[in-house]
Amino acid sequence: MRNFENIYIDGAWVPSDGTGNIEVINAATEQVMGSVPDGVASDVDRAVAAARIAFDTWSQTPVEERQKYLVRLNEALQARSAEIAETIAGEVGMPITWSTMIQAGLPAGNMATFATLLDSFEFEEKIGNSLVVKEPVGVVGAITPWNYPLHQIICKVGGSLAAGCTIVLKPSEIAPLNAFILAEIMDEVGLPAGVFNLVSGNGTTVGAAISEHPGIDMVSFTGSSRAGKQVAASAAASIKRVALELGGKSANIVLDDADFAKVIPKGVFACFLNSGQTCTAHTRMLVPNSRYDEAVEIAAAAVAATQVGDPTEEGMHLGPLISQAQWDRVQEYIQKGIDEGAVVAAGGLGKPEGHETGYFVKPTVFANVTNDMTIAQEEIFGPVLSIIGYDDDDDAVHIANDSLYGLSGGVWSGDQDRAMSVARRMRTGAVDVNGGSFNIAAPFGGYKQSGYGRENGPYGIEEFLQTKSLQL
């Protein structure tokens, strides 16, 4: 049980001006596992004031000095890896084996990458008689989600620190404990006061205050498309820069020359990781009509072999969803799929046998799905896979692009060149070609209603920079 009574502003733990607390619920036990302050708008005012003062010094701190802090942060994240993994396994429900590798491993890896990039990142270049300089954008308001909570925080905080920005962070109110561990780490490594500030609270209060605040120069938001639209609208009043990483409904195209026995189970995994609570999840599997029944049979068998279990136990099983609200949402989508004529090939409504406590769901595969169905168009955020048939490569690309979203996708083929040709035609920010693995140094972001802006690697530093030309 971790009960945090204070927020972190100007290098110190201080009481919130609010009087309430937010309880954090363990996804597997449904019991309270901690609490954080329910912050208010005046807390954001204090955090912004501290960040603005700190910006004057931090923005002028030599790159080599900023890099030293990033290295220390990476070391401290590694030192507390077990604690972070255990905390997020409870908050989010990702089993501890995966949580150790992903929820704790990725944040440390990202921080190390940002530190290393500063060895070679070019903040200035000469163009004719002009010196073009890249300068930090200013005070960054970071609003982050609950599914990969610390990873998404580090994508924003690490890039901002590397660029020379100061930060006001509002973590998800559903999974905030990991952010408080990060604030403890910031304090331990001696980051200058005001450079990093943490205000917990609800999106409608603290998130709105950040989006609207005239003292914040940029908002970086990750979350739903609905909330992203509200953030962008609020930020428009002060013409601040906005970066949005929003929802997805990614298509995984399996071409007719692919080895179905190998790639279909991998496609199921690409949908089900983190119990489907992944914005890049490949939730639409597109298969040739000529091999449709074969694909459904293999996918159903893969789901039958998928285990659901306790997040505290080691293993490659699936854990619960994060909350009762998310469980209800997924159940509604499964029912909607049935009502619209899709066929449950595996899984379905209700909880898996033996898992009545906790927000567990049955991993589910739908067959006979058409791309106009609700389950093929809307982001479910649960382990629900829709299998859609197509006639030829052109038809597959058309179906894949027939979506409001464009965050990720996949292509499988026995011919790499053919797979690449299809991947280039997909209107999405990333495509996994024949199972290409996630690269934390590559740009991450979306097309269309999946947002704009890029995170990770050099692009994740560039995002927090302004460009100025000096004519000489």
Side-chain angles (χ1 to χ4, degrees):
M1 179 78 72
R2 291 296 306 270
N3 294 316
F4 292 94
E5 298 180 354
N6 296 310
I7 54 179
Y8 189 75
I9 296 177
D10 201 19
W13 292 100
V14 297
S16 166
D17 289 342
T19 58
N21 289 306
I22 297 173
E23 291 185 335
V24 182
I25 306 301
N26 184 294
T29 67
E30 302 184 40
Q31 300 299 308
V32 175
M33 62 177 289
S35 65
V36 299
D38 189 2
V40 295
S42 58
D43 295 331
V44 175
D45 291 338
R46 290 188 290 151
V48 173
R52 294 215 68 81
I53 293 171
F55 177 73
D56 290 341
T57 301
W58 182 251
S59 62
Q60 300 304 310
T61 300
V63 173
E64 295 78 10
E65 289 300 311
R66 298 205 299 265
Q67 184 182 48
K68 289 178 182 177
Y69 281 108
L70 297 183
V71 170
R72 290 179 207 158
L73 289 169
N74 164 255
E75 292 170 349
L77 285 166
Q78 290 188 65
R80 298 183 70 170
S81 174
E83 179 188 2
I84 291 168
E86 182 180 352
T87 299
I88 299 178
E91 291 178 295
V92 178
M94 178 180 275
I96 191 65
T97 301
W98 291 114
S99 190
T100 300
M101 290 189 295
I102 298 174
Q103 302 285 14
L106 278 181
N110 269 315
M111 192 64 82
T113 298
F114 285 128
T116 301
L117 285 169
L118 288 181
D119 285 331
S120 57
F121 192 91
E122 296 291 342
F123 286 91
E124 297 183 357
E125 65 173 322
K126 192 76 181 296
I127 300 178
N129 70 311
S130 298
L131 179 66
V132 178
V133 297
K134 297 177 180 179
E135 300 178 337
V137 70
V139 177
V140 173
I143 305 174
T144 56
W146 49 258
N147 57 334
Y148 294 92
L150 191 57
H151 166 64
Q152 291 293 338
I153 289 171
I154 297 302
C155 284
K156 302 178 191 308
V157 170
S160 296
L161 293 177
C165 298
T166 55
I167 303 120
V168 176
L169 168 67
K170 189 209 90 68
S172 166
E173 62 270 28
I174 305 174
L177 300 179
N178 59 89
F180 281 75
I181 295 174
L182 176 64
E184 290 178 339
I185 288 173
M186 293 288 184
D187 198 63
E188 290 167 7
V189 302
L191 195 71
V195 172
F196 172 86
N197 305 273
L198 168 66
V199 180
S200 53
N202 287 288
T204 53
T205 302
V206 175
I210 288 174
S211 301
E212 298 167 357
H213 206 291
I216 287 180
D217 300 290
M218 175 180 175
V219 175
S220 180
F221 172 84
T222 298
S224 70
S225 295
R226 174 192 54 78
K229 292 174 185 178
Q230 294 174 341
V231 167
S234 297
S238 54
I239 320 293
K240 59 171 58 71
R241 185 190 292 184
V242 178
L244 301 175
E245 194 268 281
L246 307 176
K249 195 66 187 177
S250 302
N252 189 16
I253 299 175
V254 182
L255 297 177
D256 56 11
D257 63 349
D259 185 341
F260 276 32
K262 290 183 178 179
V263 308
I264 297 293
K266 292 180 179 179
V268 171
F269 172 79
C271 176
F272 288 177
L273 179 66
N274 201 22
S275 295
Q277 299 171 126
T278 302
C279 52
T280 57
H282 295 175
T283 54
R284 292 183 296 153
M285 182 180 288
L286 278 52
V287 301
N289 285 318
S290 60
R291 302 184 66 180
Y292 189 86
D293 291 343
E294 176 188 359
V296 171
E297 182 179 354
I298 295 171
V303 173
T306 300
Q307 300 295 313
V308 174
D310 187 340
T312 64
E313 295 179 358
E314 296 282 352
M316 300 299 188
H317 52 283
L318 300 185
L321 299 181
I322 192 169
S323 65
Q324 182 65 52
Q326 190 62 22
W327 191 90
D328 292 341
R329 171 187 170 90
V330 172
Q331 296 302 304
E332 289 171 4
Y333 273 112
I334 293 174
Q335 185 63 59
K336 188 74 170 178
I338 295 169
D339 293 344
E340 292 185 359
V343 174
V344 176
L349 293 165
K351 293 188 175 183
E353 185 177 351
H355 294 286
E356 288 72 24
T357 300
Y359 310 120
F360 293 92
V361 296
K362 296 176 182 177
T364 298
V365 172
F366 275 110
N368 292 6
V369 179
T370 57
N371 204 51
D372 59 348
M373 291 181 178
T374 303
I375 57 173
Q377 286 294 318
E378 296 185 11
E379 186 175 43
I380 298 172
F381 236 52
V384 180
L385 175 65
S386 295
I387 303 183
I388 302 170
Y390 67 83
D391 293 328
D392 55 25
D393 291 11
D394 289 341
D395 190 34
V397 171
H398 170 75
I399 293 171
N401 290 338
D402 182 18
S403 171
L404 294 175
Y405 299 106
L407 188 59
S408 186
V411 182
W412 295 89
S413 173
D415 182 336
Q416 183 78 358
D417 291 339
R418 183 184 177 195
M420 285 292 294
S421 177
V422 169
R424 290 180 184 277
R425 297 167 63 191
M426 296 174 71
R427 298 285 297 164
T428 184
V431 182
D432 301 338
V433 179
N434 283 329
S437 59
F438 182 68
N439 179 2
I440 61 175
F444 181 84
Y447 289 16
K448 299 185 280 186
Q449 291 193 26
S450 289
Y452 45 80
R454 293 296 181 267
E455 295 181 329
N456 291 349
Y459 299 88
I461 300 175
E462 190 82 37
E463 192 66 46
F464 299 103
L465 296 170
Q466 293 272 33
T467 303
K468 175 193 289 182
S469 63
L470 307 176
Q471 280 58 254
L472 307 178

